[in-house]
Amino acid sequence: MTEVKVWTEQGFVANDPWQIVEFQDELPEGDVIVPLEAFVALSDEQRHGVGLEPGRNTRRIGVLISPDDEPETIADMLGQIALVAIDFPKFSDGRGFSHAAMLREQLGYGGEIRAVGDVLIDQIPLMRRVGFDSFSVKSATTLKRLEEGRPGGISLHYQPTAKDAQAGQGYSWRRRSA
Protein backbone atom coordinates (compact mmCIF):
# COMPACT_ATOMS: atom_id res chain seq x y z
CA MET A 1 0.00 0.00 0.00
CA THR A 2 1.25 3.45 -0.94
CA GLU A 3 1.91 5.85 1.92
CA VAL A 4 -0.07 9.09 1.68
CA LYS A 5 1.05 12.19 3.59
CA VAL A 6 -0.39 15.68 3.73
CA TRP A 7 2.10 18.51 3.16
CA THR A 8 1.74 22.28 3.62
CA GLU A 9 4.29 25.11 3.40
CA GLN A 10 4.97 24.48 7.10
CA GLY A 11 5.84 20.81 6.48
CA PHE A 12 4.08 17.49 6.84
CA VAL A 13 0.84 17.35 8.83
CA ALA A 14 0.92 14.87 11.70
CA ASN A 15 -2.31 12.91 12.22
CA ASP A 16 -4.39 14.58 9.52
CA PRO A 17 -8.02 14.08 10.64
CA TRP A 18 -9.66 14.21 7.21
CA GLN A 19 -10.98 11.12 5.45
CA ILE A 20 -12.55 10.96 2.00
CA VAL A 21 -15.80 9.00 2.15
CA GLU A 22 -18.62 8.02 -0.15
CA PHE A 23 -21.83 9.33 1.37
CA GLN A 24 -24.38 6.61 2.10
CA ASP A 25 -27.23 7.17 4.55
CA GLU A 26 -25.10 8.51 7.39
CA LEU A 27 -21.71 10.11 7.59
CA PRO A 28 -19.08 8.30 9.66
CA GLU A 29 -17.58 9.89 12.77
CA GLY A 30 -14.74 12.38 12.40
CA ASP A 31 -13.84 14.98 9.81
CA VAL A 32 -15.03 13.85 6.40
CA ILE A 33 -14.67 14.90 2.78
CA VAL A 34 -17.65 13.96 0.61
CA PRO A 35 -18.05 14.25 -3.18
CA LEU A 36 -19.68 17.48 -4.39
CA GLU A 37 -22.87 15.73 -5.46
CA ALA A 38 -23.23 14.11 -2.02
CA PHE A 39 -22.61 17.44 -0.25
CA VAL A 40 -25.32 19.16 -2.27
CA ALA A 41 -27.68 16.25 -1.46
CA LEU A 42 -27.17 16.67 2.31
CA SER A 43 -30.10 18.14 4.16
CA ASP A 44 -29.75 21.60 5.72
CA GLU A 45 -29.79 19.89 9.11
CA GLN A 46 -26.87 17.65 8.15
CA ARG A 47 -24.89 20.56 6.69
CA HIS A 48 -25.55 22.88 9.65
CA GLY A 49 -24.87 20.17 12.22
CA VAL A 50 -21.18 20.23 11.46
CA GLY A 51 -18.61 22.64 12.81
CA LEU A 52 -15.94 24.58 10.99
CA GLU A 53 -13.52 24.83 13.90
CA PRO A 54 -11.23 21.93 14.91
CA GLY A 55 -11.74 22.27 18.68
CA ARG A 56 -15.51 21.80 18.57
CA ASN A 57 -17.34 18.59 19.41
CA THR A 58 -19.01 18.49 16.03
CA ARG A 59 -17.42 17.03 12.94
CA ARG A 60 -16.11 19.22 10.14
CA ILE A 61 -17.17 18.56 6.58
CA GLY A 62 -15.25 19.02 3.37
CA VAL A 63 -16.15 18.71 -0.29
CA LEU A 64 -14.33 16.70 -2.98
CA ILE A 65 -14.43 18.38 -6.38
CA SER A 66 -13.71 16.16 -9.38
CA PRO A 67 -12.51 17.49 -12.75
CA ASP A 68 -16.02 17.33 -14.26
CA ASP A 69 -17.67 19.15 -11.33
CA GLU A 70 -18.64 22.81 -11.35
CA PRO A 71 -17.46 24.59 -8.16
CA GLU A 72 -19.99 27.38 -8.61
CA THR A 73 -22.66 24.80 -7.68
CA ILE A 74 -21.70 25.33 -4.02
CA ALA A 75 -21.00 29.08 -4.17
CA ASP A 76 -23.76 29.92 -1.68
CA MET A 77 -22.64 27.12 0.68
CA LEU A 78 -18.90 27.91 0.89
CA GLY A 79 -19.28 29.38 4.37
CA GLN A 80 -20.32 25.94 5.62
CA ILE A 81 -17.33 24.13 4.13
CA ALA A 82 -14.16 23.66 6.18
CA LEU A 83 -12.05 22.18 3.38
CA VAL A 84 -12.31 21.80 -0.38
CA ALA A 85 -10.35 18.88 -1.81
CA ILE A 86 -9.73 18.99 -5.54
CA ASP A 87 -9.09 15.66 -7.22
CA PHE A 88 -6.32 15.14 -9.77
CA PRO A 89 -7.08 11.62 -11.08
CA LYS A 90 -4.18 12.02 -13.56
CA PHE A 91 -1.29 14.48 -13.32
CA SER A 92 -2.02 15.56 -16.90
CA ASP A 93 -5.56 16.77 -16.08
CA GLY A 94 -5.22 20.46 -15.25
CA ARG A 95 -8.87 21.32 -14.63
CA GLY A 96 -8.20 21.29 -10.87
CA PHE A 97 -5.98 24.37 -11.30
CA SER A 98 -8.96 26.24 -12.77
CA HIS A 99 -11.25 25.01 -10.00
CA ALA A 100 -8.88 26.32 -7.30
CA ALA A 101 -8.44 29.68 -9.03
CA MET A 102 -12.22 30.03 -9.38
CA LEU A 103 -12.78 29.21 -5.72
CA ARG A 104 -10.24 31.83 -4.58
CA GLU A 105 -10.65 34.62 -7.11
CA GLN A 106 -14.28 34.50 -8.24
CA LEU A 107 -16.09 32.81 -5.35
CA GLY A 108 -13.97 34.28 -2.52
CA TYR A 109 -13.41 30.99 -0.67
CA GLY A 110 -10.99 31.59 2.21
CA GLY A 111 -10.83 28.07 3.67
CA GLU A 112 -8.33 25.31 3.00
CA ILE A 113 -7.99 23.96 -0.54
CA ARG A 114 -6.26 20.58 -0.77
CA ALA A 115 -4.93 18.79 -3.86
CA VAL A 116 -5.59 15.04 -3.79
CA GLY A 117 -4.86 12.27 -6.25
CA ASP A 118 -1.91 12.29 -8.62
CA VAL A 119 0.04 15.24 -7.15
CA LEU A 120 3.63 15.55 -8.43
CA ILE A 121 6.52 17.71 -7.21
CA ASP A 122 6.64 19.84 -10.37
CA GLN A 123 3.01 20.85 -9.93
CA ILE A 124 3.13 21.92 -6.28
CA PRO A 125 4.63 25.43 -6.82
CA LEU A 126 2.05 26.13 -9.52
CA MET A 127 -0.76 24.74 -7.38
CA ARG A 128 0.29 27.04 -4.54
CA ARG A 129 0.07 30.03 -6.89
CA VAL A 130 -3.57 29.34 -7.77
CA GLY A 131 -4.64 28.91 -4.15
CA PHE A 132 -3.90 25.40 -2.89
CA ASP A 133 -2.90 25.24 0.80
CA SER A 134 -2.27 21.53 1.32
CA PHE A 135 -1.34 18.51 -0.74
CA SER A 136 -2.18 14.86 -0.21
CA VAL A 137 0.93 13.23 -1.64
CA LYS A 138 1.51 9.57 -2.49
CA SER A 139 4.27 9.80 -5.13
CA ALA A 140 7.52 8.41 -3.65
CA THR A 141 9.62 10.96 -5.55
CA THR A 142 7.46 13.86 -4.42
CA LEU A 143 7.50 12.66 -0.80
CA LYS A 144 11.29 12.36 -0.89
CA ARG A 145 11.77 15.87 -2.30
CA LEU A 146 9.39 17.39 0.24
CA GLU A 147 11.09 15.54 3.10
CA GLU A 148 14.41 16.99 1.88
CA GLY A 149 12.89 20.49 1.91
CA ARG A 150 13.08 20.85 -1.87
CA PRO A 151 9.57 21.72 -3.09
CA GLY A 152 10.98 23.41 -6.19
CA GLY A 153 9.51 26.36 -7.98
CA ILE A 154 10.12 29.17 -10.40
CA SER A 155 11.00 32.57 -8.96
CA LEU A 156 9.70 34.80 -11.79
CA HIS A 157 6.22 34.69 -13.33
CA TYR A 158 4.54 36.78 -16.00
CA GLN A 159 0.98 36.33 -14.83
CA PRO A 160 -0.74 37.55 -11.67
CA THR A 161 -1.85 34.94 -9.15
CA ALA A 162 -4.37 34.16 -6.40
CA LYS A 163 -1.46 34.15 -3.95
CA ASP A 164 0.11 37.53 -3.21
CA ALA A 165 3.29 38.18 -5.18
CA GLN A 166 5.92 40.90 -5.16
CA ALA A 167 6.35 42.96 -8.31
CA GLY A 168 9.46 42.12 -10.30
CA GLN A 169 12.35 44.55 -10.47
CA GLY A 170 12.40 46.65 -13.61
CA TYR A 171 9.32 45.19 -15.31
CA SER A 172 5.81 45.84 -14.04
CA TRP A 173 4.58 42.69 -15.78
CA ARG A 174 6.89 40.33 -13.89
CA ARG A 175 6.00 38.90 -10.50
CA ARG A 176 8.26 37.29 -7.92
CA SER A 177 6.98 34.33 -5.95
CA ALA A 178 6.07 35.43 -2.45
Side-chain angles (χ1 to χ4, degrees), residues 66-167:
S66 297
D68 291 332
D69 289 338
E70 297 178 12
E72 56 265 61
T73 304
I74 55 171
D76 60 336
M77 300 179 225
L78 287 174
Q80 303 167 33
I81 301 171
L83 177 140
V84 175
I86 299 179
D87 188 25
F88 287 84
K90 300 184 291 187
F91 77 90
S92 59
D93 190 338
R95 291 177 284 179
F97 287 90
S98 299
H99 291 335
M102 176 185 289
L103 284 164
R104 290 285 190 227
E105 297 170 9
Q106 295 173 11
L107 302 177
Y109 180 65
E112 181 178 346
I113 299 179
R114 177 175 294 179
V116 300
D118 200 7
V119 177
L120 302 180
I121 192 70
D122 294 340
Q123 297 170 317
I124 290 176
L126 301 171
M127 288 175 169
R128 288 172 51 199
R129 286 180 48 78
V130 296
F132 284 93
D133 302 298
S134 63
F135 309 87
S136 181
V137 180
K138 61 185 173 187
S139 161
T141 303
T142 302
L143 286 170
K144 182 179 182 214
R145 290 268 308 270
L146 292 172
E147 286 167 355
E148 295 171 351
R150 299 185 309 133
I154 302 167
S155 63
L156 288 176
H157 304 278
Y158 291 119
Q159 73 280 27
T161 177
K163 184 176 180 178
D164 290 335
Q166 302 169 1

Side-chain angles (χ1 to χ4, degrees), residues 11-70:
F12 286 99
V13 175
N15 303 318
D16 180 63
W18 293 98
Q19 59 178 322
I20 297 175
V21 299
E22 292 294 324
F23 177 68
Q24 309 282 315
D25 292 329
E26 288 197 26
L27 293 171
E29 291 298 315
D31 296 338
V32 295
I33 300 169
V34 298
L36 178 82
E37 187 176 310
F39 181 81
V40 171
L42 290 173
S43 68
D44 285 340
E45 181 181 312
Q46 289 170 310
R47 265 198 303 275
H48 291 100
V50 298
L52 295 177
E53 290 143 34
R56 295 177 60 181
N57 289 331
T58 56
R59 94 170 46 103
R60 295 179 295 165
I61 193 164
V63 175
L64 177 65
I65 296 179
S66 297
D68 291 332
D69 289 338
E70 297 178 12

